[in-house]
Amino acid sequence: MLVVISPNLSFGRSLGQSGGKLIKVEKAWEGEIKLELRQQAPPNGFITNEKAWAKLWGAYRGNDELPKIDFDKQMILVGVGKDPNSIGYDPDRLTLNEEGDLKVVYGGTDMLYPNPKTCRYIFLLISREGVKAINGNAVRKD
């Protein structure tokens, strides 16, 4: 059983491959941020341009060197939790259907944090090839 926490974040055990073309994650970054920084994450769960990437990277990673992304060919998926529980993804559930809609499901630990001050996040670098939408949200190059 999956429990949906937010539009781009789900917790629970994997239900196995959900069909469609599996999308490979080329690189992942993760960390912990102050809870109020959650609001800076894109509401649609992805980034398709350098300006938005630089802004979010700076907010979440400070002075760490900004990775160079070719946004003509790649994009960033952004998952942010609601507390310090770990966050991750199931590579068997990162699937692109025939219509070009990428299904992204995040999961993690489920410990109770009554008054969290921080939360965990994950950035996933993927290819844009064939991706027209993510969880039903249209993808455009901004």
Side-chain angles (χ1 to χ4, degrees):
M1 181 172 106
L2 290 175
V3 179
V4 177
I5 304 299
S6 73
N8 66 339
L9 182 64
S10 299
F11 286 87
R13 63 182 176 85
S14 171
L15 300 176
Q17 188 171 339
S18 59
K21 176 185 173 189
L22 289 175
I23 299 299
K24 180 181 177 233
V25 171
E26 298 175 22
K27 183 145 177 131
W29 300 268
E30 57 185 289
E32 191 168 346
I33 55 171
K34 292 180 181 179
L35 194 61
E36 52 271 12
L37 290 174
R38 281 182 90 220
Q39 298 171 354
Q40 294 191 30
N44 59 11
F46 57 89
I47 295 176
T48 58
N49 67 73
E50 182 72 26
K51 184 178 177 183
W53 174 231
K55 183 178 178 183
L56 189 63
W57 181 269
Y60 282 28
R61 309 276 303 193
N63 293 327
D64 288 358
E65 184 177 346
L66 177 69
K68 298 295 180 199
I69 308 298
D70 181 352
F71 284 102
D72 289 328
K73 297 178 182 174
Q74 301 168 306
M75 63 189 310
I76 300 291
L77 303 177
V78 179
V80 181
K82 60 181 177 33
D83 55 36
N85 276 295
S86 68
I87 185 170
Y89 71 100
D90 182 345
D92 289 336
R93 298 196 66 200
L94 194 59
T95 58
L96 186 65
N97 68 21
E98 291 180 9
E99 293 79 34
D101 190 9
L102 178 63
K103 300 301 178 192
V104 182
V105 177
Y106 298 100
T109 56
D110 196 15
M111 294 174 50
L112 179 62
Y113 288 94
N115 296 304
K117 305 279 188 250
T118 63
C119 62
R120 305 280 309 168
Y121 70 88
I122 189 167
F123 300 147
L124 305 174
L125 174 64
I126 64 165
S127 170
R128 289 178 69 116
E129 185 178 344
V131 179
K132 297 177 184 171
I134 297 178
N135 293 334
N137 296 302
V139 172
R140 295 179 295 282
K141 179 116 173 28
D142 298 332

